[in-house]
Amino acid sequence: MHAVGIVAAAGSGLRLGADRPKALVPLAGRPLVCWAVDTLRDAGVGDVVVTVPAAELGAFATVLPMDVRLVVGGATRTASVRAALTAAGDRPDAVLVHDAARPLTPPDVVGRVLAALAAGARAVVPVLPVVDTTVTVDDEGHLTGTLARETLRRVQTPQGFSRAALADAYALLPADAELTDDAAVVRTAGIAVATVAGDERAAKVTVPHDLAVAELQVAR
Ligand code: CTP
Ligand code: MG
């Protein structure tokens, strides 16, 4: 099975509020995107495409290995992954889509995703349980209900797909569609999505606190 890795790194990182795009923000001195590429490569996925903001092609080329392919992303994550998928071509059997914003994802997570694909899954996502009581609220913030926690999961990346299934799903999706992840894209095409165990260390860096936590993890 030949798998290609896509690292979504074309966002601006508004919620992190740094002086540069989030994927270029350093963790222990190295840009987040470098950590994310390493996770895929350490798990044996050597062929990697990274989506980058148009204005930052040069900055990404400077920090990433020469054999990583750079593709200009779009205005949304959905548009960015669509562009990378096109660039990946139709040779790979499988595609793993990973967030640059999950720098400390252990390669074991990638291994579990690859194993599920090898066992026949057409789509698979790493997930974690929800440990807090989770409720719904109305416009005033008043509780309207409690969700059945046993049925809830937090979804991480890398998400793995049969390349053909993911490409077909993107082809069916309207050009301006904006979905939060690629599992949602294949679900619009009616494809079943399997789950494997995620890892707390694969947490997404979204706000400054998340980066502080990541710095503590690598300092240990
Ligand atoms: N991403 C992308 N193209 C976009 C938007 C996001 O490739 N147009 C990538 C980001 O670079 C990130 C991943 O998708 O690695 C997850 O998105 P998110 O955490 O929301 O990052 P940002 O969009 O950069 O952050 P924010 O939403 O706070 O601006
Ligand atoms: Mg975003």
Side-chain angles (χ1 to χ4, degrees):
M1 186 177 73
H2 173 54
V4 64
I6 290 174
V7 176
S12 51
L14 284 179
R15 289 169 290 179
L16 189 61
D19 60 353
R20 65 195 83 179
K22 182 160 70 179
L24 291 175
V25 169
L27 166 62
R30 290 184 74 224
L32 297 185
V33 66
C34 297
W35 292 85
V37 169
D38 280 358
T39 292
L40 294 174
R41 294 208 152 167
D42 288 350
V45 178
D47 185 7
V48 177
V49 179
V50 177
T51 75
V52 307
E56 305 285 348
L57 262 172
F60 278 77
T62 303
V63 300
L64 286 167
M66 288 263 293
D67 58 344
V68 167
R69 282 185 283 165
L70 304 185
V71 171
V72 172
T76 64
R77 187 185 184 282
T78 306
S80 293
V81 174
R82 193 196 286 273
L85 194 55
T86 302
D90 57 11
R91 233 171 37 84
D93 308 299
V95 180
L96 267 56
V97 186
H98 191 34
D99 287 331
R102 299 183 185 275
L104 299 181
T105 306
D108 284 4
V109 178
V110 183
R112 290 194 284 276
V113 169
L114 288 171
L117 292 173
R122 294 170 76 204
V124 57
V125 297
V127 297
L128 288 175
V130 171
V131 294
D132 291 317
T133 296
T134 303
V135 300
T136 53
V137 294
D138 62 18
D139 290 345
E140 278 87 52
H142 290 123
L143 278 185
T144 53
T146 303
L147 298 176
R149 205 172 55 194
E150 317 74 58
T151 68
L152 300 177
R153 300 290 184 272
R154 294 177 286 144
V155 179
Q156 302 185 315
T157 74
Q159 301 185 352
F161 305 92
S162 137
R163 190 208 57 79
L166 186 60
D168 289 352
Y170 267 94
L172 288 172
L173 202 66
D176 60 350
E178 182 177 355
L179 301 175
T180 58
D181 68 357
D182 301 284
V185 173
V186 297
R187 275 179 47 80
T188 65
I191 294 164
V193 181
T195 61
V196 294
D199 192 297
E200 294 291 354
R201 291 166 290 181
K204 188 157 74 76
V205 173
T206 305
V207 295
H209 169 79
D210 304 325
L211 191 59
V213 171
E215 290 283 5
L216 287 174
Q217 274 176 256
V218 291
R220 277 193 291 139

